[in-house]
Amino acid sequence: MANDQEIHNRLARVEEIIEQLDADECGLDEGIRLHEEGQELLVEVREILDNGRGEVMELE
């Protein structure tokens, strides 16, 4: 279950970053930093999924 929480936490942060960028709440330098942070988080999520550490759930 911990790994699912890891995925959730990373994706929640990515959503926060997207909202900040969409709302123009930051300058260019901060925007670049946020973009890079989001990319790193998505790479981590992919690695977790590729290693089979996450639990796949079917939603109906």
Side-chain angles (χ1 to χ4, degrees):
M1 187 65 164
N3 291 319
D4 295 332
Q5 191 62 43
E6 289 178 37
I7 293 170
H8 172 77
N9 292 344
R10 284 170 173 80
L11 292 179
R13 177 62 184 143
V14 168
E15 288 179 21
E16 291 173 5
I17 290 170
I18 291 169
E19 289 173 7
Q20 281 183 280
L21 293 173
D22 281 348
D24 292 327
E25 294 178 357
C26 57
L28 179 60
D29 290 337
E30 179 70 5
I32 291 170
R33 188 193 66 75
L34 289 170
H35 176 267
E36 290 172 351
E37 179 186 351
Q39 292 296 314
E40 290 172 11
L41 290 167
L42 291 173
V43 166
E44 291 172 9
V45 168
R46 285 186 199 104
E47 289 173 355
I48 291 169
L49 293 172
D50 286 344
N51 291 327
R53 297 183 315 196
E55 180 180 335
V56 176
M57 298 175 15
E58 185 175 330
L59 303 177
E60 294 181 23

